[in-house]
Amino acid sequence: MKALCWEGVGKLAVREVPDPGIRAPGDAIIRVRASSVCGSDLHLINGYIPAMRRGDILGHEFMGEVAEVGPAVRKLTVGDRVVVGSVIACGGCHFCRTEQYSLCDNSNPQPNFAERLWGHAPAGILGYSHAAGGFSGSHAEYVRVPFADLGAVKIPDGLPDDSAVFASDALPTGWMAAEFCGLRGGEVVAVWGAGAVGQMAARAAQLLGAGRVIVIDRIPERMAMAAEHLGVETIDYSQTNVLDALREMTAGRGPDACIEAVGMEAHGEGPIYAYDRVKQALRLQTDRPTAVRQAILAARKGGTVSIIGVFAGLVDKFPLGAAMNKALVLRTGQMHAQRYMPMLLDRLAGGEIDPGYLNTHPLSLEDGPRGYEMFQKKQDGCLRAVLHPRPSEA
Amino acid sequence: MMRSKYGWVWGATAAAAAAALAGAALGWRIAGKRQTVTRGVTVDRPLGAVRELMQDTDVLAGAVGRPVKVTVQPAPADWGTEIHVEVDRAHDKAARTALRQVKSAIECGQVLSTRDDPAARGPVAEAITNAMRDRLTAGGRP
């Protein structure tokens, strides 16, 4: 089969690879119909998340059809149209039984790297380096899904592929970010990042009761898209002092909750951003916490900062003093896909959320390298490129 | 003049110090190797169920490659059951790997592996990748 592979830092290629097979009783083989690029893939492609090997298949946000099932699979049959969570969860450990699926104890078969870096290993993730288990990813014609009864959820009839695919990752990630905010109704929520996750976090915040949502970015097309599809307010951080603007918009209080949906390759303005770039380039810090800092400084006293952007290691100049003295609640984590997917598919089917517009660039699998280039460089209004191994299904 | 007269004293002192250091290091190493370590894992199942499964301690002994002393006890709060093994330090890594695999087998009925997952690699690159997989799999904290 064909697959989009990592060929070294900044290099991608479509290569011929062996087909996957059933390896364990709970496995399913999924024929991929749609597989989205994701901002977190850029951290792998650019070498910021280590333990990639040449020839590894990328991709973790996808949907498709069940092609084959192992003998222990009970809920799926061949031909079912399913969306698959990017995080792999066994269903039997303490964390899975308490619905904290991204902390699964048994789904990362190569836990040593994560344990040395973070103290404990979280769950495995499809197509996300050998630090996350070394699983082959979904930018391919077929992919093996372990513990498929839990990880693959049937898609309601009538829901288009290009909407359903975002129930795999961007939408549950955004939902969890908004859920972290503990909204009761009427709050002001600021979201850093108008990418797919940021926009889904904004929509989730609206559905969970936020009275006002403000999205911060610098890409005009993305802010326009968020304003048009979600009815949110926007701040262009390249033109405006974000902290001043948020204080003014909230009569001096600051937002009740701040969602960081940017992650370790954040962009910014001014000397502190230059400092972050230099430190990251010299590997004196692994991540650029530009947006996290701003979110902490912006949040109101006693407010919440929800960090859902991906971070890998160490950051510098983290304003812990502000977090402590303002009594902020900090919440963070990889999303628990299996907890949210069924509920979100119902909401998609009911029309409460329509993420189909996020797919600005439906492409063939062969166009994957070009899709990532457009996505990374934010060219041609690219918010998400969704790869279709069979373009006729796009 | 002084240097040539007393040079042998300095030389002998240095040799004695080096010998003492080497001996201490060797002794420490031997003593360390004789030590046993205790490793544990928490399994999200009730004590009775785990005890029944662990009655045949050959499961762990086989995985570790030598007899091990196994104890099973309740974990605090709702964490299930703790399995502890006592093993000599030389088999520490094997014991930790075995505990992780036993936990996975009890909790979800299988031990995952990504060896042989598809990738665009030749046999040599795949062999190197598999060696890395082994390093990332063996040992660690259960």
Side-chain angles (χ1 to χ4, degrees), chain A residues 23 56 97 106 112 115 136, chain B residues 107 115 118 121 138 141:
Chain A
R23 306 272 313 281
D56 283 344
R97 283 150 71 109
N106 299 313
N112 289 1
E115 285 179 350
S136 295
Chain B
E107 289 182 339
R115 196 177 268 261
R121 280 189 282 269
R141 295 189 191 92

Side-chain angles (χ1 to χ4, degrees), chain A residues 214-280:
Chain A
I214 303 159
V215 173
I216 299 135
D217 205 295
R218 72 187 159 105
I219 309 295
E221 306 91 276
R222 293 187 174 189
M223 291 190 291
M225 199 181 274
E228 181 193 339
H229 290 276
L230 308 174
V232 298
E233 298 164 77
T234 59
I235 296 174
D236 179 348
Y237 71 75
S238 69
Q239 304 294 323
T240 310
N241 181 312
V242 174
L243 299 181
D244 285 351
L246 286 171
R247 265 195 293 268
E248 247 176 65
M249 293 165 91
T250 56
R253 299 186 310 278
D256 299 293
C258 294
I259 296 174
E260 197 275 1
V262 178
M264 61 192 285
E265 290 183 77
H267 292 85
E269 296 286 317
I272 188 72
Y273 175 57
Y275 171 87
D276 275 340
R277 293 291 308 223
V278 170
K279 283 209 80 167
Q280 191 181 38

